[in-house]
């Protein structure tokens, strides 16, 4: 019964978010990572390289300030202690690390708890693809920063859109250690966009947020 409730919420979030994206060409372009995963031959990075604009500026033409205010007000009704600055710290030091660390360690049940089904399937694609070929997928997050709330919208449930930057290493290796793709010492700088949904029925704010969509663009690499 609990599983059916989760699937229902996933479906509700997914359908509302998809309808919104389908009616906003720019937002649709930003969140086309899943298509890039499906089409790309490179399953280490799998990022949309066409993202060159400053996201926070461009999104202001899609999300109005009144929508952001309405969404934040709705969150505060459920969680009176909600504060944007504290939330962004929580995102940087708890939510994002939990998502990436569970992915890097292959702790898929923990990852599933943080994501809707659609996003979960996208994130585990490098792991499952590598495993099917007899390879090992390795991911290491070096640093996270510049977390910014750029937009918010009510879609029956509140959705907050955030940007941040990560420095990470990702590569594929054989069981012998031979590198197939990527490099264990190459640090890539990735600009991410996360759409986080707030489940208003969950009172614990630390457990109420789920990743409903994401996109990424590699800026450059340092090594």
């Amino acid at each position: 019964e609990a599983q059916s409730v989760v699937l229902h919420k996933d479906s509700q979030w997914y359908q509302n978010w998809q309808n919104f994206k389908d009616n906003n060409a720019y937002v649709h372009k930003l969140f086309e990572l899943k298509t890039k995963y499906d089409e790309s031959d490179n399953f280490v990075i799998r990022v949309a390289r066409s993202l060159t604009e400053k996201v926070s500026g461009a999104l202001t033409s899609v999300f109005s300030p009144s929508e952001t205010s309405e969404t934040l007000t709705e969150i505060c009704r459920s969680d009176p202690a909600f504060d944007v600055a504290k939330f962004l710290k929580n995102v940087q030091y708890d939510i994002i690390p939990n998502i990436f660390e569970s992915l890097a360690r292959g702790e898929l049940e923990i990852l599933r708890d943080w994501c809707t089904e659609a996003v979960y399937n996208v994130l585990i694609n490098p792991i499952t693809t590598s495993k099917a070929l007899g390879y090992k997928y390795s991911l290491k997050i070096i640093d996270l920063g510049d977390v910014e709330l750029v937009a918010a919208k009510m879609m029956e449930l509140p959705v907050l859109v955030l940007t941040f930057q990560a420095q990470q290493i990702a590569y594929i290796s054989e069981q012998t250690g031979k590198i197939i793709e990527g490099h264990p010492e190459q640090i890539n700088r990735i600009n991410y966009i996360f759409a986080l949904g707030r489940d208003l029925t969950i009172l614990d704010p630390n457990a109420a947020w789920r990743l409903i969509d994401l996109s990424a663009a590699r800026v450059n690499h340092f090594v």
Side-chain angles (χ1 to χ4, degrees):
E1 183 177 351
Q3 182 67 17
S4 67
V5 171
V6 171
L7 291 175
H8 172 71
K9 288 176 181 175
D10 271 14
S11 178
Q12 183 182 35
W13 263 324
Y14 179 79
Q15 192 57 58
N16 290 339
W17 180 253
Q18 285 300 120
N19 290 341
F20 171 67
K21 285 200 301 181
D22 290 345
N23 288 296
N24 291 271
Y26 182 78
V27 176
H28 183 81
K29 181 180 179 181
L30 288 179
F31 287 94
E32 62 179 0
L33 180 63
K34 191 187 305 181
T35 302
K36 296 294 181 182
Y37 265 79
D38 293 339
E39 293 176 354
S40 175
D41 291 330
N42 184 320
F43 56 88
V44 176
I45 305 298
R46 300 194 187 278
V47 294
R49 293 178 173 82
S50 59
L51 181 60
T52 57
E53 303 159 278
K54 182 169 174 56
V55 173
S56 58
L59 282 175
T60 57
S61 63
V62 179
F63 297 85
S64 70
S66 62
E67 285 180 315
T68 297
S69 177
E70 174 193 352
T71 305
L72 297 178
T73 299
E74 194 63 35
I75 294 172
C76 288
R77 287 196 183 114
S78 175
D79 177 14
F82 178 81
D83 175 80
V84 172
K86 290 180 180 178
F87 170 71
L88 292 179
K89 281 190 176 181
N90 186 43
V91 169
Q92 180 169 348
Y93 296 107
D94 184 33
I95 295 179
I96 297 173
N98 268 293
I99 291 172
F100 282 140
E101 285 174 14
S102 59
L103 179 64
R105 295 173 182 172
E107 297 172 343
L108 302 188
E109 288 306 311
I110 296 176
L111 181 65
R112 189 187 294 272
D113 287 340
W114 282 104
C115 305
T116 59
E117 191 68 19
V119 172
Y120 172 79
N121 289 333
V122 168
L123 287 176
I124 67 169
N125 185 275
I127 296 176
T128 54
T129 304
S130 300
K131 189 175 180 179
L133 295 171
Y135 301 149
K136 179 184 177 182
Y137 172 72
S138 298
L139 172 68
K140 183 178 182 180
I141 302 299
I142 308 299
D143 188 40
L144 293 168
D146 298 328
V147 179
E148 180 183 1
L149 173 65
V150 295
K153 190 173 181 66
M154 281 301 300
M155 300 178 181
E156 294 188 30
L157 296 169
V159 175
L160 302 187
V161 180
L162 305 105
T163 59
F164 64 95
Q165 190 171 98
Q167 295 178 25
Q168 65 186 58
I169 295 171
Y171 62 95
I172 302 291
S173 61
E174 292 182 341
Q175 300 301 324
T176 60
K178 180 182 178 181
I179 304 301
I180 300 300
E181 195 172 296
H183 195 284
E185 295 182 1
Q186 178 175 300
I187 302 174
N188 292 294
R189 187 167 64 190
I190 310 292
N191 286 336
Y192 281 95
I193 311 171
F194 271 20
L196 293 172
R198 173 62 155 88
D199 187 340
L200 298 178
T201 65
I202 297 178
L203 298 180
D204 181 1
N206 295 319
W209 293 95
R210 298 187 75 201
L211 182 60
I212 65 172
D213 208 348
L214 80 161
S215 185
R218 184 170 62 181
V219 180
N220 57 28
H221 59 80
F222 296 100
V223 180

